[in-house]
Amino acid sequence: MEEQKMSLIEHLSELRKRIVVCLVALLIAFLITFSFSEYIFKLLLFPLNYSPQFSLKEGLVFVPDQKLQNTKLVFLGPAEAFWMNMKIALVSGFILIIPIVFYQLWRFISPGLYQHEKKYIIPFVLSASGLFLVGVIFCYLIVLPFAMSFLLNYKVGDFLMPMLSVGLYIDFLLKFLLAFGFVFELPILIVITTRMGLITPQTLKKYRKLAIILAFVVAAIITPTPDAFNQTLMAVPMIILYEFGIWISIILNKKKVQDNGG
């Protein structure tokens, strides 16, 4: 019992160490991004100023939307603009240090891994960070422009002009950017759970139809618009990521069997 208690204390101490490293990195990144929060804010106006259009000839293009560009962003309280910049800097700083976060996560779980598994630290950090950034970029370039165009133009006509609170607008964007970033970690989650033996590739294949239904259910909950098109924008990537996770888990499972057999 005493050894188990010491082991638990050591784990908690290690967890605290990893969290402190992440917080220090986040603080440093925050100080950097806060200096550029005004420029980052201008970038976040892209989904509001440009309307996505799709044609067979040109594909997906973004054209300036005169009505959306005339949308006024106002702050309703004395401190709202200040806190808006703080939130932008904080989330931007978190995205900036996401490789450090995944590296510290790996360092925390690495004592429970076999020696030959510890060498996957670089592929894990690069793939997890890359998928997170792809999710953020996908949301920024595809989902948010479609969502904002739909929400601010649906049955509005020529008599209504949106006037948005800058704090609520930024909250709306940042939440979805982070949500899509974490959703794109699905293949990593699948690979880890299969490597741990919690699930198998055969189980993932068996419940493929259920996973497709759940993808659309999750998309309906997370996406900001009630239309099926925007829900599909999130559900389809989730399904593709699920299939990609199955494919990777099969490859790793075969390699594991060959290593054990050797």
Side-chain angles (χ1 to χ4, degrees), residues 183 186 190 208-209 211-216 232 234-246:
V183 163
L186 181 60
I190 292 175
R208 178 183 280 115
K209 294 182 179 179
I212 294 174
I213 296 175
L214 289 176
F216 279 94
T232 304
M234 183 173 192
V236 170
M238 290 178 64
I239 296 171
I240 295 175
L241 291 168
Y242 184 84
E243 295 294 334
F244 180 70
I246 294 177

Side-chain angles (χ1 to χ4, degrees), residues 93-103 125 128-129 132-133 182:
F94 177 77
I95 295 175
L96 191 64
I97 68 160
I98 199 66
I100 297 177
V101 173
F102 285 121
Y103 175 76
V125 173
S129 302
F132 186 89
L133 294 177
F182 285 114

Side-chain angles (χ1 to χ4, degrees), residues 6 26 89 146:
M6 287 298 296
L26 180 59
F146 276 104

Side-chain angles (χ1 to χ4, degrees), residues 92-166:
S92 301
F94 177 77
I95 295 175
L96 191 64
I97 68 160
I98 199 66
I100 297 177
V101 173
F102 285 121
Y103 175 76
Q104 295 302 318
L105 176 62
W106 181 270
R107 290 293 302 272
F108 176 70
I109 65 176
S110 61
L113 301 176
Y114 293 107
Q115 191 64 35
H116 68 277
E117 292 177 328
K118 295 181 179 181
K119 65 181 180 180
Y120 293 114
I121 178 171
I122 294 179
F124 170 78
V125 173
L126 291 179
S127 58
S129 302
L131 285 171
F132 186 89
L133 294 177
V134 169
V136 170
I137 294 172
F138 176 80
C139 180
Y140 175 77
L141 292 178
I142 304 298
V143 177
L144 286 174
F146 276 104
M148 297 305 299
S149 178
F150 177 85
L151 291 173
L152 298 180
N153 285 310
Y154 182 71
K155 291 188 177 181
V156 171
D158 297 327
F159 305 100
L160 297 176
M161 178 61 66
M163 183 179 294
L164 306 178
S165 162
V166 66

Side-chain angles (χ1 to χ4, degrees), residues 7 13 15 51 54 81 83 132 171 173 206 217 236 257:
S7 177
S13 178
L15 177 60
S51 179
F54 181 82
W83 285 113
F132 186 89
D171 283 347
L173 262 64
K206 180 180 179 181
V217 171
V236 170
V257 172

